[in-house]
């Protein structure tokens, strides 16, 4: 079985936010919640870099380790999902997550947290595939249709890749080699952004 | 002699100048030569949590990776949970063992039937409201920390999640009420709990728990005072951090929430462990203690045995007959110097 991963190539991302918009629209995500966001470093200065980030579906997910009701599960594709029927909105997963992925719609007075919402790698939730309940709670289940996450499919520069970790890592490696060729540099092995943190690869 | 000294001094100055020059040169070289690859520099910034810009507005949405989450996870799931569990289990075990081997502290003399008023109605109401809130907060809080390991295997995911949703709600709601009770309690019993010289003697003999003559004690004995101050200290930590955690509305960042959470749990575990001792001593552990907090009065025998100085003080103020305190031997230093009745 493939181990699904996200990869964002900071040499390609142009901060167009199409991935963010595509995700919101595809899953009809609640107001105030963004499952994906683009962060730009050194914005407006020479050498600025952008990264599109969402839940990375970590190998040893910190969110799952701290959830007091144990509502996370990992699919056989390595996608980290959770059960909203169990979630109590305590926010612990948000404290623990390195990537700021878990989001909370405000529920009632005093800013009380509602049930956690996060990127599902377009893989739905525990309800039956393509059911009304699944769509309402988690959005579209594209993986069950044999499709990959929409954010990556929408990406016009193909900075954002989603799919079998080995395949996208190969694509990335090829790019690194080609860029070094073009710029007359020696090739240095590079670990894609965030992979150290999410999948335990050395260096991020 | 004078020249030798100044020669010594000038040589030191020379070395210092050389050293300063070497350091300065090294510093200039380091600045001039770009040691670091700007790419590596950028990602170092990311690891250190430097914030960028994001069109998605939200708290810390510009931060790509926060490393402190992992630290929080390790502390919460590791040392805090384990040390806390061992502490609570250990105290329960020790109290059980004490009760089995030693048994409760009985009244030394038979009851006289004469009642001495000990806690007025306001104090009792305050005590019991605080006690109910404390137990509620303790049980719901412990469920958040240990329920996943202890309760899910027993009642399953669904029932536990339903219970915990309620527990979280109740915990967050009763927290601020408990804070209010703590403040009133602190103001009410602050004076009675000021530490006095005789309290050391009480502590040294463990309140006469392991035999020996019962030590002297005022209205509060040293054990009660220790519990009071521990409750106040830990209660302050729990209250401040609890209010921070209770209201995500404040817009605090994750690092502040993580730290608050760790302090909250640590202080809470300590005070819950200590409360087990207080509950044991106040109920099973001491014959005749609970009735004081329930009815408001205690038997004269009990007062003589456990709070002799307080009884004498009452007699001094004319609240009980002097003849009823006759068994009490008063050390001369127990009156407060500012107590007008003492000089009368
Ligand atoms: S990125 Fe965050 S939410 Fe996603 S699996 Fe990792 S820790 Fe969990
Ligand atoms: S907010 Fe929900 S998913 Fe996150 S840790 Fe709490 S109960 Fe689990």
């Amino acid at each position: 079985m493939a181990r699904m991963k996200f990869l964002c190539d900071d040499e390609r991302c142009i901060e167009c936010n199409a991935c963010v918009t595509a995700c919101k629209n595809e899953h009809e995500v609640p107001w105030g919640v963004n499952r994906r966001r683009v962060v730009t470093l050194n914005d407006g200065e020479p050498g600025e870099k952008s990264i599109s980030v969402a839940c990375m579906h970590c190998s040893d997910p910190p969110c799952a380790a701290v959830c007091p009701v144990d509502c996370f599960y990992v699919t056989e594709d390595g996608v980290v999902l959770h059960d909203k029927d169990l979630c109590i909105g305590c926010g612990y997963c948000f404290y623990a997550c390195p990537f700021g992925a878990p989001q909370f719609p405000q529920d009632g007075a005093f800013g009380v947290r509602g049930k956690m919402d996060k990127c599902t790698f377009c893989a739905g939730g525990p309800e039956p595939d393509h059911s009304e309940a699944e769509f309402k709670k988690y959005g579209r289940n594209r993986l069950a249709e044999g499709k990959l996450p929409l954010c990556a499919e929408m990406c016009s520069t193909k900075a954002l890749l989603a799919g079998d970790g080995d395949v996208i890592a190969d694509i990335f490696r090829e790019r690194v080699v080609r860029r070094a060729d073009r710029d007359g540099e020696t090739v240095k092995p590079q670990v894609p952004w965030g992979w150290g943190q999410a999948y335990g690869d050395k260096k991020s | 002699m004078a020249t030798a000294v100044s020669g010594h001094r000038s040589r030191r100055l020379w070395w210092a100048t050389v050293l300063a020059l070497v350091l300065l040169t090294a510093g200039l070289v380091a600045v001039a030569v770009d040691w670091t690859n700007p790419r590596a520099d950028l990602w170092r910034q990311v690891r250190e949590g430097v914030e960028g810009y994001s069109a998605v507005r939200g708290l810390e949405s510009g931060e790509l990776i926060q490393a402190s989450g992992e630290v929080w996870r390790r502390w919460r799931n590791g040392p805090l949970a384990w040390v806390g569990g061992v502490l609570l289990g250990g105290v329960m075990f020790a109290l059980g063992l004490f009760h089995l081997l030693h048994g409760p502290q009985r009244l030394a003399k038979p009851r006289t039937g004469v009642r001495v008023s000990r806690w007025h109605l306001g104090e009792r109401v305050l005590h019991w409201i605080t006690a109910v809130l404390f137990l509620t907060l303790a049980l719901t809080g412990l469920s958040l920390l240990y329920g996943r390991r202890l309760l899910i295997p027993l009642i399953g995911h669904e029932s536990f999640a339903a219970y915990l949703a309620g527990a979280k709600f109740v915990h967050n709601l009763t927290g601020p009420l408990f804070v209010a009770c703590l403040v009133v309690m602190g103001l009410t019993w602050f004076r009675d709990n000021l530490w006095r010289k005789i309290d050391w003697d009480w502590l040294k003999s463990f309140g006469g728990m392991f035999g020996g003559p019962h030590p002297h004690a005022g209205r509060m004995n040293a054990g009660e005072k220790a519990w009071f101050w521990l409750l106040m200290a830990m209660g302050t930590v729990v209250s401040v951090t609890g209010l921070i955690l209770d209201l995500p509305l404040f817009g605090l960042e994750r690092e502040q929430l993580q730290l608050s959470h760790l302090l909250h749990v640590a202080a809470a575990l300590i005070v819950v462990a200590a409360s087990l001792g207080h509950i044991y001593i106040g109920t099973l552990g001491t014959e005749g203690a609970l009735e004081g907090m329930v009815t408001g009065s205690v038997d004269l025998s009990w007062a003589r045995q456990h709070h002799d100085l307080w009884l004498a003080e009452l007699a001094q103020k004319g609240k009980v007959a002097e003849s009823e305190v006759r068994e009490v031997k008063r050390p001369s230093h127990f009156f407060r110097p500012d107590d007008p009745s003492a000089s009368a």
Side-chain angles (χ1 to χ4, degrees):
Chain A
M1 250 316 175
R3 163 58 163 113
M4 294 298 177
K5 290 178 182 175
F6 276 125
L7 190 157
C8 186
D9 187 341
D10 57 283
E11 296 283 314
R12 284 188 175 223
C13 178
I14 55 168
E15 200 207 351
C16 69
N17 280 292
C19 48
V20 177
T21 317
C23 172
K24 271 201 86 102
N25 189 60
E26 177 77 349
H27 301 299
E28 294 176 19
V29 177
W31 173 253
V33 169
N34 286 286
R35 291 183 178 179
R36 180 169 282 286
R37 67 191 194 281
V38 179
V39 176
T40 304
L41 298 158
N42 300 333
D43 187 28
E45 287 160 27
E48 74 164 36
K49 287 273 184 288
S50 295
I51 291 279
S52 171
V53 61
C55 171
M56 291 288 277
H57 303 277
C58 304
S59 297
D60 170 26
C63 53
V66 297
C67 176
V69 293
D70 190 24
C71 79
F72 289 86
Y73 62 102
V74 182
T75 70
E76 41 186 22
D77 296 326
V79 176
V80 179
L81 297 177
H82 73 294
D83 186 340
K84 283 195 183 183
D85 291 345
L86 299 180
C87 172
I88 61 166
C90 65
Y92 287 179
C93 49
F94 172 66
Y95 296 0
C97 173
F99 299 101
Q103 304 280 306
F104 297 89
Q106 279 203 0
D107 182 24
F110 304 114
V112 169
R113 298 184 183 97
K115 290 184 185 295
M116 190 272 272
D117 188 274
K118 74 168 188 68
C119 158
T120 63
F121 209 87
C122 289
E127 273 80 6
D129 289 349
H130 312 306
S131 63
E132 177 79 13
E134 185 190 45
F135 179 72
K136 273 230 171 83
K137 288 180 204 162
Y138 309 96
R140 201 89 55 197
N141 190 340
R142 292 170 55 89
L143 246 57
E145 294 173 27
K147 297 173 182 163
L148 285 169
L150 189 66
C151 50
E153 289 209 353
M154 289 283 294
C155 181
S156 57
T157 63
K158 289 287 164 275
L160 188 62
L161 302 175
D164 185 332
D166 294 336
V167 175
I168 57 175
D170 279 343
I171 297 174
F172 181 71
R173 208 167 301 130
E174 224 171 277
R175 288 184 188 173
V176 171
V177 172
R178 218 167 282 167
R179 274 179 216 143
D181 254 7
R182 180 193 66 198
D183 302 341
E185 292 171 357
T186 47
V187 181
K188 276 176 260 147
Q190 265 177 34
V191 178
W193 177 85
W195 280 36
Q197 184 74 48
Y199 313 127
D201 299 46
K202 272 174 243 108
K203 274 180 73 189
S204 57
Chain B
M1 199 60 192
T3 47
V5 169
S6 76
H8 196 67
R9 209 180 277 158
S10 67
R11 211 176 312 138
R12 224 191 275 163
L13 198 69
W14 189 81
W15 277 114
T17 318
V18 169
L19 190 68
L21 278 175
V22 169
L23 286 177
L24 191 68
T25 321
L28 283 176
V29 169
V31 172
V33 178
D34 193 2
W35 296 98
T36 52
N37 151 9
R39 255 191 78 91
D41 211 41
L42 186 78
W43 300 126
R44 186 180 47 73
Q45 286 178 1
V46 170
R47 275 197 302 278
E48 284 168 6
V50 173
E51 290 214 14
Y53 164 82
S54 179
V56 168
R57 307 315 294 161
L59 199 64
E60 297 182 272
S61 65
E63 190 167 333
L64 277 169
I65 295 183
Q66 62 124 7
S68 57
E70 196 61 24
V71 179
W72 175 75
R73 166 198 177 174
R74 301 252 171 260
W75 273 94
R76 175 190 180 268
N77 287 9
L80 263 190
W82 285 110
V83 173
V86 169
L87 183 68
L88 292 181
V91 169
M92 273 190 242
F93 180 77
L95 288 174
L97 204 66
F98 177 84
H99 192 68
L100 283 180
L101 297 183
H102 183 275
Q105 202 171 23
R106 305 241 169 248
L107 278 174
K109 300 266 164 66
R111 288 171 183 269
T112 58
V114 179
R115 308 296 296 176
V116 183
S117 156
R118 178 152 170 79
W119 308 106
H120 62 70
L121 186 64
E123 287 176 313
R124 277 177 285 151
V125 169
L126 176 65
H127 175 271
W128 289 114
I129 291 181
T130 313
V132 168
L133 290 175
F134 182 93
L135 289 177
T136 309
L137 286 161
L139 289 177
T140 50
L142 289 172
S143 302
L144 278 159
L145 186 59
Y146 295 115
R148 177 169 167 175
R149 278 200 200 99
L150 300 183
L151 294 178
I152 290 181
L154 290 181
I155 62 175
H157 279 85
E158 265 97 57
S159 333
F160 177 69
Y163 156 68
L164 205 64
K168 179 200 126 178
F169 181 75
V170 168
H171 193 91
N172 288 350
L173 207 74
T174 45
L177 298 177
F178 179 70
V179 175
C181 283
L182 272 188
V183 172
V184 178
M185 197 172 251
L187 294 175
T188 309
W189 284 327
F190 165 75
R191 248 185 92 85
D192 287 326
N193 281 290
L194 290 175
W195 200 260
R196 287 156 72 184
K197 240 194 280 170
I198 47 159
D199 292 324
W200 292 115
D201 301 333
W202 193 98
L203 274 192
K204 267 180 232 155
S205 60
F206 288 102
M209 216 154 41
F210 298 101
H214 199 289
H216 298 294
R219 185 175 190 218
M220 306 283 183
N221 63 38
E224 287 168 304
K225 289 182 184 181
W227 164 237
F228 175 83
W229 290 113
L230 184 83
L231 179 65
M232 285 300 137
M234 294 300 131
T236 307
V237 176
V238 170
S239 300
V240 172
T241 55
L243 289 174
I244 287 174
L245 293 166
D246 209 350
L247 301 166
L249 184 74
F250 285 162
L252 285 168
E253 298 190 345
R254 278 166 293 181
E255 248 178 77
Q256 291 152 325
L257 296 174
Q258 288 154 359
L259 187 65
S260 298
H261 179 272
L262 294 181
L263 290 173
H264 190 78
V265 175
L269 285 169
I270 291 171
V271 81
V272 168
S275 80
L276 295 174
H278 172 70
I279 292 169
Y280 172 74
I281 293 171
T283 55
L284 286 179
T286 317
E287 186 184 355
L290 184 61
E291 64 188 50
M293 202 40 100
V294 172
T295 66
S297 64
V298 291
D299 194 272
L300 188 63
S301 288
W302 188 91
R304 273 191 200 132
Q305 184 177 341
H306 294 283
H307 297 272
D308 53 353
L309 303 184
W310 167 65
L311 194 61
E313 214 171 315
L314 287 183
Q316 194 79 24
K317 289 181 187 158
K319 291 198 179 140
V320 289
E322 181 77 41
S323 60
E324 284 169 340
V325 199
R326 60 187 171 278
E327 294 200 12
V328 176
K329 280 193 214 79
R330 266 176 271 151
S332 54
H333 61 263
F334 87 88
F335 289 112
R336 296 194 193 107
D338 59 343
D339 190 347
S341 62
S343 52

